[in-house]
Amino acid sequence: MSPARTESRRGCVRPPHFDILWLPKAALRSVENDPSDCILVVGVSRPKMALTIMTVILVSLFLTFHMIYDSALNSLQTKTVEHPRPPILLLSRRLYPAASRRLPQAIIMGVRKCGTRALLEMLYLHPMVQKAAGEVHFFDRDDNYNKGLEWYRMQMPHSYPGQITIEKSPSYFVTSEVSSSRTYSCHECQRETPVNSAGARYKSDIRLHPVEGQRSHCLPALPTPPPKSFEQLALFPNGSINEAYRPLAISVYHNYLHRWLEVFPREQMLIVNGDLLIEDPVSQLQKIERFLGLEARIGTHNFYFNETKGFYCLRNETSDRCLRETKGRRHPRVDPEVVSKLRRYFGEHNQKFYELVGEDLGWPEE
């Protein structure tokens, strides 16, 4: 080998700032006819850095497999509700907490037909809120209550630590009434509409149908009586208020709030004005965020006014949507004289309710 060739091989330069070693081939007694001048020797010159890199790689692989495990475990728990599997990787759950079903930390307990579904959907815009899919009816139905708290917990959605789970069952507010009327048909339950709140929620399209029995072959079938209007159901023929009419009875809110205040302190309950929720949802939701201890995240960017429907619809980062057609609907016209009479009737009851909640909601009495 010529001296110049040898000098060229010995002059191989190691790139700066790299932990790899470049050597002249002559140092390894390379064959003469190999055209390459230098070879790369695989090795590490900084053991601590190598250890750090290996640690990062192993932790990344560990977390990846853990995420796959969590997904499979949650899917399995959903299918085996009665016998959920306990976690296997206890250490990993400390490093990477998994979602689980938790008992609700807040409950929307009433009242019917006053915007409970709308309120729940609005709160669900908050990233730290999870909601039950439907009305659970745990506390007001013996058949559900007897299944125990574990059954109740399994009706809740998966949530992460720090998130708040909320369920809503409006009939909780009138629990004793609901427990004595479970034989009502679904149609009968649908017409239990509170008529308070400034007389804005009256219905006059109620239909009553007799229970069908076995028809006699000897007697002709009796004709179905014409449906009664709201006015006929709310008032007696002499014009006095039918206080036993259920939609009126469950609208005397102070009768039911008394029972709740015997169990829960006032500061654990938040009264939301349904009328303001319709007119200015953001202000009411900010009030609820503070009550629940949540960071303020819901704002005007989450709503837009639908001119066709006449109320606010919801908006998030990915889509816009309104509640289904049965929500936010305009209520039928009621005889103004009946409305005035009912407002006077509820005036005294509303004042008692204001005293209990410590707030005048401003429902008109005339």
Side-chain angles (χ1 to χ4, degrees):
M1 180 183 299
S2 65
R5 180 80 172 173
T6 303
E7 186 65 21
S8 174
R9 292 177 181 271
R10 292 177 179 176
C12 292
V13 180
R14 179 177 65 86
H17 309 301
F18 282 86
D19 294 318
I20 55 179
L21 184 61
W22 292 80
L23 293 176
K25 188 183 297 184
L28 297 180
R29 297 178 180 178
S30 174
V31 293
E32 184 67 24
N33 59 355
D34 193 323
S36 61
D37 293 331
C38 298
I39 61 174
L40 173 65
V41 177
V42 178
V44 179
S45 62
R46 300 181 184 177
K48 291 184 178 180
M49 181 177 293
L51 180 61
T52 301
I53 294 174
M54 290 299 297
T55 301
V56 171
I57 294 174
L58 290 176
V59 171
S60 299
L61 290 174
F62 176 79
L63 292 178
T64 300
F65 283 113
H66 176 65
M67 292 175 66
I68 298 173
Y69 161 77
D70 277 339
S71 177
L73 179 63
N74 289 335
S75 177
L76 180 62
Q77 286 182 339
T78 302
K79 296 179 180 178
T80 57
V81 172
E82 299 297 332
H83 303 284
R85 286 182 54 187
I88 298 175
L89 304 179
L90 297 179
L91 178 60
S92 68
R93 290 202 179 274
R94 296 179 183 177
L95 297 174
Y96 185 78
S100 62
R101 301 182 192 272
R102 296 174 173 84
L103 292 174
Q105 293 84 46
I107 296 177
I108 300 174
M109 65 179 189
V111 295
R112 288 180 65 101
K113 306 301 180 184
C114 287
T116 55
R117 170 56 59 182
L119 176 58
L120 184 62
E121 295 298 332
M122 291 175 182
L123 288 174
Y124 190 52
L125 292 169
H126 199 290
M128 296 305 290
V129 170
Q130 291 287 3
K131 64 180 177 71
E135 296 179 3
V136 182
H137 292 287
F138 177 68
F139 296 102
D140 60 326
R141 294 181 181 174
D142 288 342
D143 55 339
N144 288 339
Y145 189 77
N146 292 336
K147 295 176 183 177
L149 283 176
E150 181 62 17
W151 178 88
Y152 184 43
R153 184 177 68 83
M154 295 308 296
Q155 310 312 305
M156 299 299 114
H158 285 85
S159 63
Y160 288 95
Q163 287 186 313
I164 291 180
T165 300
I166 300 178
E167 76 116 329
K168 74 105 177 174
S169 294
S171 52
Y172 286 164
F173 188 67
V174 290
T175 301
S176 61
E177 295 289 337
V178 173
S179 63
S180 63
S181 59
R182 291 173 190 167
T183 58
Y184 277 24
S185 68
C186 180
H187 174 82
E188 190 75 13
C189 291
Q190 288 177 352
R191 72 186 188 90
E192 294 173 9
T193 305
V195 297
N196 207 328
S197 182
R201 305 188 186 281
Y202 300 125
K203 293 183 68 178
S204 61
D205 58 348
I206 299 172
R207 298 292 184 268
L208 300 179
H209 301 284
V211 178
E212 292 187 4
Q214 292 184 349
R215 182 177 299 173
S216 171
H217 293 288
C218 301
L219 297 176
L222 296 176
T224 302
K228 292 184 178 180
S229 66
F230 173 81
E231 290 85 348
Q232 291 174 312
L233 294 170
L235 303 179
F236 289 117
N238 62 4
S240 60
I241 303 294
N242 181 6
E243 298 182 11
Y245 179 42
R246 183 170 177 78
L248 300 186
I250 65 176
S251 297
V252 182
Y253 299 147
H254 68 89
N255 285 341
Y256 304 99
L257 189 61
H258 271 298
R259 183 172 61 248
W260 284 97
L261 290 175
E262 291 176 356
V263 181
F264 295 96
R266 175 66 181 88
E267 57 270 19
Q268 285 188 244
M269 303 171 64
L270 178 67
I271 308 298
V272 179
N273 189 324
D275 293 332
L276 292 181
L277 186 67
I278 295 173
E279 299 169 4
D280 183 15
V282 174
S283 65
Q284 296 302 299
L285 290 168
Q286 290 175 343
K287 178 181 177 182
I288 299 172
E289 286 176 327
R290 292 192 295 270
F291 176 74
L292 296 176
L294 294 171
E295 178 186 357
R297 297 291 294 274
I298 303 176
T300 55
H301 62 283
N302 292 122
F303 298 91
Y304 68 96
F305 191 80
N306 187 302
E307 297 289 347
T308 302
K309 294 178 177 293
F311 57 85
Y312 283 95
C313 294
L314 312 182
R315 169 177 290 158
N316 58 23
E317 292 81 2
T318 59
S319 63
D320 298 346
R321 66 186 182 88
C322 291
L323 298 177
R324 61 179 185 266
E325 294 298 328
T326 57
K327 303 298 182 181
R329 61 193 180 279
R330 297 184 182 276
H331 295 275
R333 179 184 180 279
V334 178
D335 187 335
E337 183 177 345
V338 175
V339 173
S340 180
K341 183 173 293 188
L342 287 172
R343 282 177 173 171
R344 289 194 297 271
Y345 165 75
F346 279 112
E348 180 181 352
H349 295 299
N350 289 342
Q351 289 300 324
K352 293 180 180 179
F353 179 69
Y354 299 161
E355 293 174 5
L356 286 178
V357 302
E359 179 182 0
D360 189 335
L361 299 180
W363 294 329
E365 299 180 12
E366 292 294 338

